[in-house]
Amino acid sequence: MACLSCPRHCAVDRSRQRGFCGAPAELQVSAVCLHRGEEPVLTGASAGSAPSSIVNVFFSHCSLQCIYCQNAAIAGHDVDDTLVHYRSVDAVADRVAELLPQSSGLVGLVTAAHYVDYVAPLVEAIHRRGFHPAVVYNSSGYEDLDALRSLEGIVDIYLPDFKYMDPYLAEVCSHAADYPQVATQAIAEMYRQVGSGLLTDNGVAFRGMIIRHLVLPGHVDNSLACLDWIADHLPSNIHLSLMAQYFPPDGIALPAPLDRTLTDDEYKTVVDHCNRLGFSRGWLQEMSSQHCYRPDFTNPVNPFEA
């Protein structure tokens, strides 16, 4: 069957060959774990709960293939078989059910665009195990519109990246010159489904949207353009997460200026522009975050814990 799950529309039969993402037709998940690194309203940190974490499902492979990806070990076209720990909906659902009582009560589906057909069956399997968590769709922003429409009523919280408004930068970094057009349409569809607000219960979100933007070193103008688009097309009450955690992955030669971390002045310029545009809801990151969020997916229990 021709795969049209993501905007690349490779149209390959994944039971016989691999498309751009490298994923087979079979479900492949590299980790299901408690994760404390998400925004406080997703982990429960806003409610003061301890420990505070979301149950995240990290799908193997990715339809974007960013050259600076922090999860490159599991997101690439060719993922080492030893890093695929779950191969069925039931196996993933069993692990989610095991972890949910220790969590904020949310389940995050991390980069699931190329496995979007598995989302509804997975949520149904979790329900059969007696749990009805809010479902967070943690997305690269590079999403097919028909696929997103199929998630209406299943996804409670959309957590898209908004990486680029510069097509050339999108091509260099993510092999997707059409990213600006695709992502803006996808974010508009997410907004149509869940609105711009973020509904919470005791400090934990249960419906809405958060837009993330990772500021790239040397490309402040791209960040300003992303913020301008949001200001022009979405209400000012949208929650934004401006991320300073960029780091060049070890062992990968990247072109300058992507071969360095972000400077204080670059991040401040983006934050100041965000404030001038009237955004007041969301989160900023400490510059020390550049030394965090470096997962080890050889750890089958939790890649984010040493």
Side-chain angles (χ1 to χ4, degrees), residues 2-12 14 19-23 61-65 111-117 137 139-148 150 174-176 178 182 186:
C3 180
L4 304 174
S5 294
C6 88
R8 296 191 188 275
H9 291 176
C10 292
V12 301
R14 282 166 45 180
F20 181 88
C21 68
H61 306 281
C62 180
S63 59
L64 212 51
Q65 304 287 313
T111 318
H114 52 299
Y115 281 125
V116 68
D117 291 342
Y137 193 75
S139 164
S140 69
Y142 196 65
E143 299 281 346
D144 177 79
L145 281 179
D146 287 337
L148 282 178
S150 75
S174 302
H175 321 285
D178 62 343
V182 169

Side-chain angles (χ1 to χ4, degrees), residues 124-189:
E124 291 167 2
I126 294 169
H127 290 174
R128 288 197 300 272
R129 285 155 175 79
F131 295 93
H132 291 78
V135 175
V136 181
Y137 193 75
N138 186 332
S139 164
S140 69
Y142 196 65
E143 299 281 346
D144 177 79
L145 281 179
D146 287 337
L148 282 178
R149 292 176 185 128
S150 75
L151 299 177
E152 187 167 8
I154 300 172
V155 169
D156 302 291
I157 300 168
Y158 280 105
L159 182 61
D161 289 338
F162 187 18
K163 297 177 183 290
Y164 317 107
M165 277 300 288
D166 180 344
Y168 176 76
L169 184 62
E171 177 64 25
V172 169
C173 292
S174 302
H175 321 285
D178 62 343
Y179 182 97
Q181 177 184 357
V182 169
T184 52
Q185 291 177 346
I187 289 171
E189 171 61 20

Side-chain angles (χ1 to χ4, degrees), residues 47-80:
S49 59
S52 52
S53 54
I54 183 175
V55 179
N56 266 349
V57 178
F58 289 88
F59 292 84
S60 310
H61 306 281
C62 180
S63 59
L64 212 51
Q65 304 287 313
C66 300
I67 61 175
Y68 51 78
C69 180
Q70 70 180 36
N71 295 344
I74 66 165
H77 184 278
D78 298 308
V79 177
D80 192 307

Side-chain angles (χ1 to χ4, degrees), residues 30-31 73-74 80 82-83 85 295-305:
S30 289
I74 66 165
D80 192 307
T82 63
L83 299 181
H85 298 293
D296 176 9
F297 284 97
T298 63
N299 181 345
V301 177
N302 194 325
F304 293 87
E305 292 185 356

Side-chain angles (χ1 to χ4, degrees), residues 76-123:
H77 184 278
D78 298 308
V79 177
D80 192 307
D81 197 57
T82 63
L83 299 181
V84 178
H85 298 293
Y86 304 87
R87 300 178 185 272
S88 71
V89 165
D90 282 335
V92 174
D94 285 343
R95 181 60 172 161
V96 168
E98 180 183 349
L99 294 175
L100 270 172
Q102 306 170 50
S103 76
S104 63
L106 277 64
V107 170
L109 307 180
V110 183
T111 318
H114 52 299
Y115 281 125
V116 68
D117 291 342
Y118 284 94
V119 170
L122 175 57
V123 173

